[in-house]
Amino acid sequence: MEMNEDRKFGLEKSHGDHLSNHSSGVSADWQFNTPAMSAAPPHPCTAASLVPPLTSSPFLSAPMAEAFVPGLWNHHATSVGGSNIQNTTSAINSIPIGRPVAMSSKGMLLSTPPLIFPPSLPHFPADSGFIERAARFSCLSGGGFMDVNLLRPSQSVAPARKASKVVMETQVQNSELSMTADKVVSLPAAYGSIDQSRMDTRRDRRSPHISNSESQETNFCEGGQDGNVDSSGNSSPSDLGANKRKRTIQDMEKDQVQRGPQSSSEATETKHKVEQNSSKHGGKNGKDNSEAAEEGYVHVRARRGQATNSHSLAERVRREKISERMKYLQELVPGCSKVTGKAVMLDEIINYVQSLQRQVEFLSMKLAAVNPQLDFSVERLLAKNLREFHGSPLSIAGFSQEMSYPRVYPSQHGLGHAGSSTMVNPSDAYRRTMNTQLPTTSGYKELSMQMHNPWNEEIVMQMDYDANHPPNAQEMNRKPDGFAI
Amino acid sequence: MQATKSFEQAFLRHLLRGFRLSAVSYKSMSLQERKSAIKLSADVAMASARGSRKWTRGLITKLSREDEHRSFLRLILGTEYGRRTKPRHGSWKIPRSKKIVRRSLRVCSRRKNNLRAPHGVKSGVLARTLVEKRTHALKRLVPGGESLDGCSLLDEALDYVISLRAQVDLMQKLLTTFEAPKLRALSKCTLPERKASFVGK
């Protein structure tokens, strides 16, 4: 056995190139052999596509046929080339009768496959070499498929074919998923030109692969690309590509479900593994993206390559809310537009709040120092300022007499009547003088420009004017005239 | 974001009302007392003008903890006082001692850091502790922020910052209003002198 194998291998080496060329040439005829396929290790083919290998294998093996002992034909065929192996072994095993026929002539073999095809299957030559190679293929196609392949070798061809078909699907799926796993999905165009460009570059990089894999997928998913209804109304038009890919994955899932419980279970098994892998390195990107750019979405949609537990979804919603608030605070706090990152932003916010609070304290101290008699001069001063700074007529209709007013009155009356009267006159004097001087004095203009419109009209309009001071009542009556001017 | 005009109006109204109310004992107060009275009325005015928010309620409760303020508050707010200070149905806060909570948090974080230290400081953990520390600091700054989680804390902080800014603005305007005549009063002189002084400037 071993000697035979060695010889076979030796022969293989000599004819390796020829065979590989031949096989590649042949493989071009194969139904689903896209460039990506040839780039990747050749996959085992589907049941439908077993026919061409059957036709091709005799081409390959025919020149060898004379050289080899028929018993060796299996081994040789298995050693030929990646995808040929399982096909050819299955083909070979399915042609117990046809072996002598194949050896004799090619043409005969072409006719035989259809007869032999629905097979009753002899057992596989479950030799170590084959298992080795099968294991190698499974490794090549992606981890986790080993069990699928290794389980089957000793069994009949039909399940093997099915398994190979499943492996094929999942391989395609895996390759496709892994390629697009860490892709940024569904960012609204408004947010993050950075993210958008990132996504675009990734998509461009992946696009040749994707087109290939998608063309592969068309075999598996009917209308995978055509049946893409708009996935969500919120996705921006630039994301349609990404959404399409998502759709195709979903369609693949659907097809797998249709194909049978066995294959679907395997597929879902492998898909879970794939998802875990992709979520591991896709989740991180997703997290970064969600923190970097907020969605304008009302509802939450599981992003591509991210785990879809309720936990992670809720967490993502929470993170998006927080980033939205951070954005508002960034606008609010001066000098925070360039700052990114939660910790630094929080630091800035804390500093700002502290500074504002300290300012309030300081201002209240100053107010206390400025006016020992804070109470009654306020409104008058405000009115004065209002008249000084606004030449426009103001309606006094907004004056509201509050209920606390009568309560205050006696206290004020008792308190500072003398003071108030003294205050009145100078303020009267000031007001009159200021009124007369208003348009002319440069100094006053200076002052007014310094305090350019400190009061909004509407604010001060609502002021209470206490009519405590009878002498002021006249002023109050006069005030409308002053305002009217 | 700007504070609305109605907010500023209400603020000013309440502020002046508070000034008038507190002016009863104004003459006998020292500077410090006056300052605290002014600050009190300013804070109350801000809280009552804003309406009903978490931080306003927290602020009012904090202020009403001192008995001397309570009468003042009751005067200012009137009927709203009872409404504002009673706890809302949904947010019943479990009375916890702050010291104990803080100590336990410190212990927990220390334990966490000790566990992770052998592996080497991961940047994620470091960032998280920084953020946590700052969140705690913010919670202490924003009135009524202790019982809030991260997201609503930021909300309340946002609101609080806006109102604080409006408060500062208003008080500055008040100050200039008071200072302007004071300045002019300082240069106490007759009309022509003042004219000259103004022209001179």
Side-chain angles (χ1 to χ4, degrees):
Chain A
M1 277 289 262
E2 287 185 10
M3 279 193 45
N4 290 338
E5 282 190 28
D6 289 342
R7 211 189 317 158
K8 166 192 64 180
F9 286 136
L11 276 164
E12 185 192 347
K13 272 180 217 151
S14 58
H15 299 276
D17 297 330
H18 163 70
L19 279 173
S20 59
N21 291 341
H22 206 82
S23 67
S24 58
V26 168
S27 62
D29 301 335
W30 288 8
Q31 183 177 342
F32 56 90
N33 232 340
T34 60
M37 282 284 289
S38 53
H43 306 293
C45 52
T46 57
S49 50
L50 273 174
V51 182
L54 283 174
T55 59
S56 61
S57 55
F59 288 129
L60 299 167
S61 53
M64 307 298 150
E66 300 86 75
F68 282 111
V69 179
L72 284 176
W73 194 34
N74 293 344
H75 303 299
H76 171 67
T78 58
S79 71
V80 160
S83 55
N84 288 343
I85 287 184
Q86 281 190 352
N87 308 329
T88 49
T89 45
S90 54
I92 289 156
N93 287 326
S94 67
I95 321 167
I97 319 163
R99 226 191 298 144
V101 181
M103 298 246 283
S104 55
S105 68
K106 314 171 196 173
M108 290 278 295
L109 192 58
L110 283 168
S111 54
T112 46
L115 301 173
I116 304 166
F117 218 82
S120 61
L121 308 163
H123 86 112
F124 258 22
D127 65 320
S128 53
F130 173 67
I131 294 174
E132 255 181 20
R133 269 169 244 118
R136 220 186 302 140
F137 293 143
S138 59
C139 291
L140 283 169
S141 57
F145 301 136
M146 277 187 67
D147 49 353
V148 175
N149 281 342
L150 290 175
L151 284 171
R152 308 296 161 177
S154 54
Q155 291 180 21
S156 52
V157 171
R161 242 182 282 135
K162 231 181 176 183
S164 59
K165 181 172 56 165
V166 167
V167 166
M168 171 60 151
E169 290 170 15
T170 47
Q171 274 173 7
V172 170
Q173 187 185 19
N174 182 33
S175 61
E176 211 253 11
L177 273 178
S178 57
M179 283 193 285
T180 60
D182 51 354
K183 200 171 286 287
V184 177
V185 179
S186 337
L187 289 175
Y191 285 105
S193 51
I194 307 165
D195 298 313
Q196 200 75 332
S197 59
R198 215 195 308 164
M199 182 170 70
D200 289 337
T201 52
R202 276 202 206 143
R203 218 191 308 155
D204 293 338
R205 239 187 290 140
R206 301 275 196 298
S207 53
H209 295 280
I210 298 230
S211 56
N212 293 332
S213 58
E214 278 182 338
S215 59
Q216 283 173 37
E217 283 172 46
T218 49
N219 294 321
F220 302 113
C221 339
E222 304 84 18
Q225 300 189 18
D226 306 327
N228 278 339
V229 195
D230 175 26
S231 53
S232 76
N234 294 336
S235 59
S236 60
S238 56
D239 298 322
L240 275 179
N243 284 334
K244 239 207 274 186
R245 265 170 257 116
K246 217 199 282 187
R247 276 290 139 155
T248 53
I249 291 285
Q250 294 173 7
D251 290 334
M252 281 182 71
E253 293 177 35
K254 270 186 250 156
D255 288 330
Q256 285 165 15
V257 168
Q258 288 164 13
R259 268 179 209 160
Q262 179 193 38
S263 54
S264 67
S265 62
E266 288 163 8
T268 46
E269 235 181 75
T270 51
K271 185 159 190 271
H272 283 313
K273 291 178 197 156
V274 164
E275 254 211 38
Q276 283 170 19
N277 291 338
S278 59
S279 66
K280 257 183 249 164
H281 51 88
K284 183 179 132 209
N285 288 333
K287 256 185 257 170
D288 292 342
N289 294 324
S290 66
E291 281 185 333
E294 324 148 20
E295 309 273 69
Y297 296 170
V298 175
H299 67 275
V300 181
R301 173 175 261 273
R303 288 209 208 112
R304 176 183 208 74
Q306 281 193 334
T308 53
N309 324 341
S310 56
H311 290 298
S312 49
L313 275 176
E315 212 191 294
R316 196 151 27 91
V317 167
R318 189 187 129 260
R319 258 183 276 128
E320 284 167 7
K321 267 203 258 174
I322 286 185
S323 56
E324 192 187 327
R325 305 278 158 65
M326 281 291 200
K327 204 171 154 285
Y328 285 137
L329 280 165
Q330 240 181 6
E331 294 171 7
L332 203 60
V333 178
C336 262
S337 45
K338 309 163 204 142
V339 173
T340 48
K342 253 204 227 174
V344 191
M345 258 314 295
L346 278 174
D347 213 20
E348 292 294 319
I349 292 165
I350 288 169
N351 286 336
Y352 191 55
V353 169
Q354 274 175 342
S355 78
L356 282 174
Q357 284 176 341
R358 262 182 267 132
Q359 259 186 313
V360 168
E361 295 242 359
F362 176 67
L363 280 172
S364 63
M365 175 83 78
K366 272 193 105 178
L367 275 172
V370 153
N371 258 325
Q373 291 106 359
L374 190 59
D375 44 343
F376 30 76
S377 51
V378 171
E379 294 89 358
R380 219 170 315 112
L381 283 168
L382 285 171
K384 195 187 354 167
N385 271 327
L386 190 67
R387 254 181 295 115
E388 285 163 357
F389 294 124
H390 308 279
S392 55
L394 298 170
S395 60
I396 317 288
F399 294 157
S400 53
Q401 303 285 325
E402 293 200 334
M403 287 205 319
S404 61
Y405 179 76
R407 227 187 304 143
V408 174
Y409 181 87
S411 63
Q412 282 203 356
H413 215 74
L415 205 167
H417 206 66
S420 67
S421 53
T422 53
M423 274 301 291
V424 165
N425 297 329
S427 59
D428 281 352
Y430 292 152
R431 205 180 337 102
R432 283 191 211 103
T433 51
M434 291 324 297
N435 277 335
T436 53
Q437 290 184 22
L438 181 60
T440 52
T441 43
S442 55
Y444 184 76
K445 273 191 189 131
E446 218 178 274
L447 200 62
S448 66
M449 278 194 291
Q450 281 173 19
M451 302 179 280
H452 177 68
N453 253 359
W455 296 108
N456 287 329
E457 301 174 7
E458 300 95 45
I459 294 172
V460 192
M461 253 166 42
Q462 299 243 333
M463 285 301 308
D464 307 338
Y465 281 76
D466 53 355
N468 282 354
H469 317 282
N472 291 342
Q474 301 168 20
E475 295 160 23
M476 276 182 66
N477 295 334
R478 235 178 289 141
K479 273 172 206 160
D481 305 330
F483 287 125
I485 296 169
Chain B
M1 292 196 187
Q2 277 281 323
T4 61
K5 285 234 170 83
S6 59
F7 170 69
E8 289 185 349
Q9 288 171 20
F11 191 146
L12 192 59
R13 217 183 321 133
H14 285 104
L15 185 66
L16 295 172
R17 216 165 122 204
F19 282 169
R20 261 185 276 129
L21 283 175
S22 61
V24 181
S25 49
Y26 219 52
K27 278 219 148 158
S28 54
M29 288 189 214
S30 68
L31 184 70
Q32 286 294 327
E33 290 172 342
R34 262 182 293 166
K35 168 214 153 201
S36 47
I38 290 174
K39 184 159 186 294
L40 172 69
S41 34
D43 288 339
V44 171
M46 178 169 72
S48 57
R50 185 59 187 85
S52 185
R53 293 222 45 153
K54 215 51 191 279
W55 67 265
T56 60
R57 267 176 272 130
L59 185 59
I60 291 174
T61 28
K62 186 171 68 165
L63 289 172
S64 62
R65 271 198 206 119
E66 292 148 56
D67 297 323
E68 42 197 45
H69 297 323
R70 254 187 235 164
S71 52
F72 177 77
L73 282 166
R74 227 171 263 123
L75 278 173
I76 293 244
L77 299 172
T79 50
E80 300 172 359
Y81 178 65
R83 217 185 338 126
R84 295 275 173 86
T85 50
K86 83 159 190 275
R88 284 243 169 139
H89 302 291
S91 68
W92 177 246
K93 192 175 149 194
I94 305 167
R96 275 184 235 126
S97 161
K98 275 194 218 170
K99 240 198 241 177
I100 294 174
V101 172
R102 248 182 259 148
R103 212 181 292 154
S104 66
L105 275 173
R106 226 180 297 147
V107 168
C108 285
S109 59
R110 209 177 292 152
R111 217 181 294 151
K112 247 193 279 175
N113 289 334
N114 286 338
L115 280 174
R116 287 185 212 260
H119 301 275
V121 177
K122 289 186 198 161
S123 59
V125 178
L126 183 67
R128 216 183 308 140
T129 43
L130 275 178
V131 168
E132 275 175 16
K133 280 215 173 94
R134 274 142 203 197
T135 324
H136 286 306
L138 190 62
K139 279 189 187 175
R140 259 176 272 140
L141 275 179
V142 175
E146 295 279 341
S147 57
L148 292 172
D149 70 320
C151 183
S152 40
L153 175 69
L154 284 178
D155 237 353
E156 296 294 318
L158 190 75
D159 213 52
Y160 186 55
V161 162
I162 297 174
S163 344
L164 268 183
R165 253 218 278 208
Q167 186 182 33
V168 165
D169 280 341
L170 269 166
M171 289 179 76
Q172 268 174 344
K173 284 180 195 170
L174 256 185
L175 198 61
T176 55
T177 319
F178 288 142
E179 281 200 322
K182 220 11 174 353
L183 285 171
R184 288 177 236 129
L186 280 174
S187 63
K188 201 180 282 184
C189 45
T190 59
L191 175 64
E193 281 180 34
R194 205 175 302 112
K195 220 180 189 173
S197 67
F198 277 133
V199 167
K201 279 184 207 162

